[in-house]
Amino acid sequence: MILRPGSYLLPTVLAVILHIFVVVLLAQSWFEHKEEERKVPRHVQAQIVDLTTLSAQRKEASEAKAKQKADQIRKAEEDKKRKADEKRKQEKAKKEAEKKKQLEKKKAEAEKKRKADEKRKKEAAKKKAKQDRLKKAAAEKKRKEAEKKAAAEKKRKAEAAAKKQAEEKARNEALMKALQAEEAALQAEEQRAAAMSYEAYIVTQITRNWRRSPTARNGMVVEITVHFLPSGRVNDLYVSKSSGDARFDNDALRAIERVQVFEKLQDMDSVVFDRYFRKRVLRFRPEDLRN
């Protein structure tokens, strides 16, 4: 029997023989071993070679290679086109950048010229403003000097008038003070004279009620501080300086107490009373008393 290429007879026969061989091996293994000691059978992989499939695979490989080459050519053309587009875009961008640069340069030159003009105008305005300030300052200085001179003259006259007025006021005040001092001195003298006359009256009233004690000796002095009331009564009295003789001191206190009321003090001026007799120190000596 002649086998034609592409026939399935030979592969089918080989496959059947292979399967029979596998079945025999499995049956023998099944009967030789116990059921509890079963082992996992080995698998035998069988492959049927198909010439038609192999031819188809070769055709597919050839077509894939042709397709791959066509893809490579297509990609090369696309890459070439892409590079050409990029180059064109770069040239266009370069031209636009150059154009933009020229525009910016012109704009910068125009801005530079504008700033130069503005600077020149500002300097001119600044110079004029400075001149105006100098003129104004000079005029202001002249005005202030005139005002200062007028103010100084006015101040001088005012000071002279004030000095004259102060001197006159000082003279008047001095004269007034002198008059007041003189009047106060006269008044004080009058008050002192009145006080002396009242003191003489008081001493007389006391000595009338006092007899010289046998222990008294000439040269002894006792000072008695007496607090009088405007009614003439004695509010308080005490020995402020002893004579050294207690009997003589006590006699002086008792003599004052015996008077009780010094009636003439009621007629005394209140100023004189407050100044001289609200609190009065009286001095007594043995030689001033009657024997």
Side-chain angles (χ1 to χ4, degrees):
M1 182 173 53
I2 300 174
L3 297 174
R4 291 177 296 176
S7 175
Y8 293 96
L9 181 59
L10 181 60
T12 302
V13 173
L14 291 174
V16 170
I17 293 170
L18 181 61
H19 280 81
I20 292 170
F21 179 73
V22 171
V23 170
V24 171
L25 289 175
L26 288 174
Q28 184 180 1
S29 176
W30 176 269
F31 291 107
E32 287 180 355
H33 300 284
K34 294 180 180 180
E35 188 171 343
E36 61 273 15
E37 295 179 358
R38 290 180 181 177
K39 293 183 179 180
V40 178
R42 295 181 180 178
H43 296 282
V44 178
Q45 185 175 3
Q47 184 175 6
I48 299 174
V49 179
D50 191 350
L51 296 177
T52 304
T53 303
L54 183 61
S55 177
Q57 289 177 350
R58 289 177 180 175
K59 185 179 180 181
E60 288 178 359
S62 178
E63 290 176 354
K65 189 175 181 180
K67 184 180 180 183
Q68 183 179 4
K69 187 175 181 180
D71 290 340
Q72 288 176 352
I73 294 171
R74 180 178 55 77
K75 288 181 179 179
E77 290 178 353
E78 289 177 354
D79 188 53
K80 184 178 180 181
K81 183 180 179 183
R82 179 181 60 77
K83 288 181 178 181
D85 291 341
E86 288 179 357
K87 184 178 180 180
R88 187 170 58 256
K89 288 179 180 180
Q90 288 176 357
E91 290 176 353
K92 183 179 180 182
K94 186 177 180 181
K95 289 181 180 179
E96 290 179 353
E98 184 66 23
K99 185 178 179 181
K100 184 178 180 182
K101 185 176 179 181
Q102 292 297 327
L103 289 174
E104 288 178 352
K105 184 177 179 181
K106 289 181 180 179
K107 186 178 180 181
E109 290 176 353
E111 181 66 15
K112 184 177 179 180
K113 185 175 181 300
R114 185 188 66 79
K115 286 183 178 180
D117 293 341
E118 186 177 352
K119 183 179 180 181
R120 185 171 60 256
K121 289 179 181 178
K122 283 183 177 180
E123 288 177 353
K126 187 177 180 181
K127 185 177 180 180
K128 186 176 182 301
K130 184 177 180 181
Q131 291 176 350
D132 292 341
R133 284 197 304 272
L134 290 174
K135 289 180 180 179
K136 186 176 180 181
E140 183 68 14
K141 183 179 179 181
K142 187 176 180 180
R143 183 186 65 79
K144 286 184 177 180
E145 287 177 353
E147 288 181 353
K148 186 177 180 181
K149 186 177 180 180
E153 181 64 19
K154 184 178 180 181
K155 183 180 179 181
R156 186 189 64 77
K157 290 181 180 180
E159 287 176 350
K163 184 178 179 182
K164 183 177 180 181
Q165 185 178 0
E167 289 174 352
E168 185 176 355
K169 183 180 179 181
R171 285 195 300 271
N172 293 334
E173 288 179 352
L175 180 61
M176 184 63 68
K177 285 181 180 180
L179 292 174
Q180 289 175 352
E182 185 178 353
E183 184 178 353
L186 292 173
Q187 187 176 3
E189 183 62 26
E190 290 176 357
Q191 290 176 354
R192 191 182 67 80
M196 293 300 294
S197 66
Y198 279 105
E199 184 175 1
Y201 159 72
I202 291 170
V203 171
T204 299
Q205 294 298 313
I206 294 171
T207 54
R208 285 179 180 176
N209 292 279
W210 190 355
R211 293 293 181 270
R212 181 173 176 172
S213 61
T215 59
R217 297 289 182 272
N218 290 341
M220 296 169 57
V221 179
V222 61
E223 292 185 358
I224 307 296
T225 299
V226 184
H227 292 263
F228 291 101
L229 296 174
S231 62
R233 292 186 177 277
V234 176
N235 186 42
D236 190 18
L237 73 163
Y238 50 86
V239 177
S240 54
K241 185 177 181 182
S242 176
S243 65
D245 187 334
R247 183 175 178 181
F248 184 71
D249 295 345
N250 290 329
D251 287 345
L253 294 172
R254 282 193 291 271
I256 295 172
E257 290 174 349
R258 289 191 190 101
V259 178
Q260 294 182 352
V261 180
F262 297 86
E263 295 179 354
K264 284 189 177 182
L265 294 182
Q266 299 174 5
D267 301 330
M268 187 184 299
D269 182 75
S270 61
V271 176
V272 177
F273 177 81
D274 289 334
R275 184 173 183 181
Y276 294 101
F277 290 96
R278 179 70 66 177
K279 178 182 178 181
R280 187 75 176 180
V281 178
L282 302 176
R283 296 174 180 82
F284 297 99
R285 299 176 178 81
E287 55 267 30
D288 294 334
L289 302 175
R290 292 182 300 174
N291 293 327

